[in-house]
């Protein structure tokens, strides 16, 4: 338990008459890449939204580093070291690439407010540190050259990367990626794969919701399969690939062969 | 712009500002100029909330009224001084903004506009009916003139310089806050609240912060207003004024401090330039606002930015060789 970054225990989420999540349990070891897959409407995005505090769970428990998240809101959970990206890329469109990353390091304390107005020595020093961290994150994702551009005018693929940089600069322990390859073309997906590996090498555990099976099979150590809100399988890629239940639910009966490469 | 050119333009601008009362000899126009300065403070304050954080308030005139009445009551009935009265106006208005902000800023979108609209009306009713404190519709008169370092600020000429100092200080403060990470965080909340919260930026905290800053600015502007006119009544702080502040922000360009300032001066003086139109003035005024929203949705600053970009574009065309500087 202690070496798990995320523990989800018998998690349930009900929307009216629909059980979006039904007794889902799994764990992510520290620094591991875990993929969450399943057909549309299986409850994958719901799970991410419950873990990040956007939705309150109906039942069950979530713990980050052994700390239960009961009743915590999105801000408190984010400050525990959980970061995320969104399915439809949510950036701060009137800010530049650099500002999008800088703002993720913002802390709203009265001392920092006064320091920011008076430009105290402590403030300037902190600002330099934050800039260095932002530069590091942007360089890691090849975005440093375009740091001055407004994110609203960037191509879709780069916006994905800005969102990753913004999450990365927060130095999360757990990073939730909600369909990061959606809308990307092939070379961008290859780039994304490299980025996820790089994040993992930094010791960040990743929970990946993804439809691109090639990406999932190549980078994850552990796969959790959801169908209609229930966990139907869990295990390493080679096991999941051969699991009859998964193939039936996810790929459909007739595509059994297409699922095995 | 080179460094020297920048300092030169700042110097010329400063001299121009300081010389205004020397050539604006009509006391009527000088009064309008002073009113423009007060309006700048109020609008730059509202810019924190509406421009940077994206929350529409239609109760800003009510907050300004709190500042005006606080200073007026303390200085007439309790013989406070200008400085202490203005400080109290700022502090009390900020405190009231925080108290009102916590419940109302949880409302999203148009509901906040409606709630603050109600707030403005409630404050107006309090100013009108709390006779023992506010004198009702008779208003409060004979608000004492400020005394500063032995000088008495008794006419518009002297008042101009007092207001200029306040405008400079509060605009500078606004620029500093906007340039700090709090400015970025407020814009982040405006652009995408959900993403901001996922990055650990509390939407409620920053909305309340923006609202309390707007309260501080409105309170100080209200106190200056009370001293400039030496008389206040509930009808100085109606919904019309709140809407005017909002219109100034739109015209200036939401989020832009300089744009807010230009629009505050322009829309304070415009009614006087259009006085010959008599009651048809509002028709033209409305038409101007509609044209601005349709043709320059980012306001004056949007136009200036596009113009600068266009010049840059022209300058980088191959037909015109670039000269290294």
């Amino acid at each position: 338990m202690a070496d798990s970054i995320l523990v989800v225990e018998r998690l349930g989420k009900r929307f009216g008459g629909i059980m979006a999540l039904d007794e889902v349990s799994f764990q992510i070891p520290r620094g591991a890449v875990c993929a969450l897959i399943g057909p549309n409407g299986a409850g994958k995005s719901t799970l991410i939204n419950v873990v990040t505090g956007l939705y309150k769970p109906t039942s069950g428990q979530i713990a980050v580093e052994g700390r239960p998240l009961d009743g915590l809101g999105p801000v408190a959970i984010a400050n525990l070291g959980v970061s995320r990206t969104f399915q439809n890329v949510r950036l701060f469109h009137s800010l530049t690439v650099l500002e999008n990353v800088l703002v993720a390091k913002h802390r709203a304390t009265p001392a920092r407010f006064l320091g920011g107005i008076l430009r105290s020595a402590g403030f300037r020093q902190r600002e330099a540190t934050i800039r260095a961290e932002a530069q590091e994150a942007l360089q890691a994702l090849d975005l440093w050259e375009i740091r001055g551009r407004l994110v609203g005018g960037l191509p879709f693929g780069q916006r994905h990367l800005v969102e990753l940089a913004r999450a990365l600069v927060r130095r999360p322990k757990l990073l939730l990626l909600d369909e990061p390859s959606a809308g990307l073309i092939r070379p961008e997906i290859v780039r994304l794969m490299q980025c996820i590996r790089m994040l993992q090498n930094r010791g960040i555990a990743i929970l990946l919701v993804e439809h691109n099976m090639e990406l999932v099979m190549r980078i994850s150590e552990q796969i959790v399969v959801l169908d209609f809100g229930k966990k139907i399988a869990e295990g390493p890629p080679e096991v999941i690939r051969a699991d009859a239940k998964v193939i039936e639910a996810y790929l459909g009966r007739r595509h059994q062969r297409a699922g095995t490469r | 712009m080179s460094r020297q050119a920048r300092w030169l333009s700042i110097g010329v601008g400063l001299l121009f500002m300081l010389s205004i009362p020397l050539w604006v000899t009509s006391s009527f126009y000088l009064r309008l100029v002073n009113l423009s300065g007060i309006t700048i403070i109020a609008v730059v304050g509202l810019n924190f909330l509406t421009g940077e954080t994206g929350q529409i308030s239609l109760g800003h005139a009510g907050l300004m009224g709190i500042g005006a009445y606080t200073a007026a009551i303390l200085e007439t009935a309790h013989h406070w001084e200008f400085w202490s009265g203005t400080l109290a106006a700022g502090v009390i208005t900020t405190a009231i903004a925080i108290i009102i902000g916590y419940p109302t800023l949880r409302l999203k979108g148009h509901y906040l506009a409606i709630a603050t609209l109600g707030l403005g009306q409630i404050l107006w009713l309090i100013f009108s009916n709390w006779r023992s404190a506010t004198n009702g519709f008779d208003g409060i008169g004979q608000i004492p003139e400020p005394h500063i370092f032995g000088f008495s600020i008794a006419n518009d000429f002297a008042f101009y310089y007092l207001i200029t100092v306040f405008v400079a200080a509060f605009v500078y403060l606004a620029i500093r806050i906007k340039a700090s990470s709090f400015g970025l965080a407020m814009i982040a909340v405006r652009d995408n609240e959900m993403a901001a919260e996922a990055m650990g930026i509390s939407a409620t905290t920053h909305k309340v912060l923006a609202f309390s800053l707007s309260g501080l600015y409105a309170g100080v502007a209200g106190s200056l207003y009370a001293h400039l006119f030496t008389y206040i009544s509930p009808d100085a702080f109606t919904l019309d004024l709140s809407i005017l502040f909002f219109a100034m922000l739109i015209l200036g360009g939401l989020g832009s401090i300089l744009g807010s300032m230009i629009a505050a001066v322009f829309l304070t003086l415009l009614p006087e330039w259009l006085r010959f139109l008599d009651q048809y003035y509002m028709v033209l005024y409305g038409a101007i606002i509609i044209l601005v929203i349709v043709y320059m949705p980012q306001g004056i600053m949007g136009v200036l930015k596009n113009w600068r970009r266009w010049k840059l574009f022209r300058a980088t065309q191959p037909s015109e060789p670039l000269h290294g500087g």
Side-chain angles (χ1 to χ4, degrees), chain A residues 105-116:
Chain A
K105 296 293 282 184
H106 170 68
R107 283 283 159 281
T109 63
R112 292 203 178 186
F113 185 66
L114 285 179

Side-chain angles (χ1 to χ4, degrees), chain B residues 58-140:
Chain B
L58 293 175
H60 204 56
L63 292 179
M64 192 172 156
I66 293 175
Y69 272 99
T70 304
I73 292 168
L74 289 175
E75 291 179 39
T76 53
H78 304 281
H79 309 291
W80 286 37
E81 292 281 317
F82 168 74
W83 289 114
S84 49
T86 303
L87 183 68
V91 168
I92 287 176
T93 314
T94 308
I96 288 176
I98 292 172
I99 293 165
I100 296 167
Y102 261 104
T104 52
L105 289 167
R106 288 169 191 277
L107 301 172
K108 302 233 157 117
H110 303 305
Y111 295 104
L112 179 71
I114 302 292
T116 49
L117 176 78
L119 166 71
Q121 295 307 99
I122 290 167
L123 288 169
W124 182 83
L125 283 169
I126 293 173
F127 301 149
S128 311
N129 292 303
W130 190 10
R131 293 242 178 92
S132 58
T134 66
N135 245 357
F137 285 109
D138 294 335
I140 299 174

Side-chain angles (χ1 to χ4, degrees), chain B residues 201-216:
Chain B
I201 299 165
S202 161
T204 308
T205 303
H206 289 87
K207 285 178 190 174
V208 171
L209 172 70
F211 198 45
S212 56
L213 282 169
S214 89
L216 172 68

Side-chain angles (χ1 to χ4, degrees), chain A residues 54 74-75 78-79 83-84 86 90-95 99 103-104 106-109 112-113 117 119 166 170, chain B residues 173 176-177 179-182 184-185 187-188 190-192 194-202 205-206 209 213:
Chain A
L54 285 178
V75 175
N79 289 337
S83 205
R84 71 171 291 179
F86 292 89
R90 290 170 172 270
L91 292 171
F92 309 123
H93 55 79
S94 52
L95 298 179
E99 286 168 335
V103 77
H106 170 68
R107 283 283 159 281
T109 63
R112 292 203 178 186
F113 185 66
I117 293 169
R119 298 202 170 267
R166 187 179 67 182
R170 292 184 53 76
Chain B
L173 179 66
R176 272 290 170 91
I177 292 172
S180 77
S181 68
F182 283 84
L184 285 183
I187 294 172
R190 175 190 71 189
D191 281 359
N192 203 316
M194 201 190 273
E197 296 232 302
M199 295 300 121
I201 299 165
S202 161
T205 303
H206 289 87
L209 172 70
L213 282 169

Side-chain angles (χ1 to χ4, degrees), chain B residues 9-280:
Chain B
S9 57
I10 288 175
V12 170
L14 214 65
L15 276 180
F16 172 77
M17 292 285 292
L18 292 177
S19 73
I20 285 176
L22 302 178
W23 48 269
V24 178
T25 43
S26 145
S27 66
F28 175 73
Y29 267 101
L30 198 52
R31 170 63 55 97
L32 275 181
V33 168
N34 285 339
L35 186 60
S36 304
I38 292 171
T39 310
I40 285 176
I41 296 176
V43 176
V44 167
L46 185 61
N47 186 50
F48 285 117
L49 183 69
T50 306
E52 288 173 34
T53 319
Q55 307 299 308
I56 294 174
S57 166
L58 293 175
H60 204 56
L63 292 179
M64 192 172 156
I66 293 175
Y69 272 99
T70 304
I73 292 168
L74 289 175
E75 291 179 39
T76 53
H78 304 281
H79 309 291
W80 286 37
E81 292 281 317
F82 168 74
W83 289 114
S84 49
T86 303
L87 183 68
V91 168
I92 287 176
T93 314
T94 308
I96 288 176
I98 292 172
I99 293 165
I100 296 167
Y102 261 104
T104 52
L105 289 167
R106 288 169 191 277
L107 301 172
K108 302 233 157 117
H110 303 305
Y111 295 104
L112 179 71
I114 302 292
T116 49
L117 176 78
L119 166 71
Q121 295 307 99
I122 290 167
L123 288 169
W124 182 83
L125 283 169
I126 293 173
F127 301 149
S128 311
N129 292 303
W130 190 10
R131 293 242 178 92
S132 58
T134 66
N135 245 357
F137 285 109
D138 294 335
I140 299 174
Q142 293 181 317
I143 296 162
E145 64 221 26
H147 292 275
I148 293 160
F149 308 127
F151 295 102
S152 115
I153 312 289
N155 55 36
D156 278 278
F157 185 87
F159 229 103
Y160 174 80
Y161 292 102
L162 176 68
I163 287 178
T164 303
V165 170
F166 269 90
V167 169
F170 278 87
V171 167
Y172 183 67
L173 179 66
I175 292 171
R176 272 290 170 91
I177 292 172
K178 198 185 171 187
S180 77
S181 68
F182 283 84
L184 285 183
M186 286 193 262
I187 294 172
V189 169
R190 175 190 71 189
D191 281 359
N192 203 316
E193 207 173 310
M194 201 190 273
E197 296 232 302
M199 295 300 121
I201 299 165
S202 161
T204 308
T205 303
H206 289 87
K207 285 178 190 174
V208 171
L209 172 70
F211 198 45
S212 56
L213 282 169
S214 89
L216 172 68
Y217 278 60
V220 170
S223 169
L224 289 173
Y225 181 93
H227 288 94
L228 178 65
F229 287 89
T230 68
Y231 166 79
I232 54 169
S233 72
D235 287 335
F237 310 105
T238 58
L239 176 63
D240 290 9
L241 186 61
S242 290
I243 292 175
L244 180 63
F245 288 148
F246 186 57
M248 286 166 174
L249 273 183
I250 302 272
L251 176 64
L254 284 171
S256 161
I257 294 171
L258 184 61
S260 307
M261 295 171 70
I262 295 171
V265 175
F266 179 70
L267 284 189
T268 308
L269 298 177
L270 187 66
E272 300 312 317
W273 296 335
L274 300 180
R275 189 160 283 256
F276 66 94
L277 289 171
D278 210 29
Q279 75 265 39
Y280 301 108

Side-chain angles (χ1 to χ4, degrees), chain A residues 227-246:
Chain A
D227 192 21
F228 292 109
K230 285 194 170 71
K231 183 174 88 174
I232 57 168
E234 181 180 3
E238 54 278 10
V239 175
I240 296 299
R241 215 192 299 250
D243 191 305
K245 249 166 115 188
V246 175

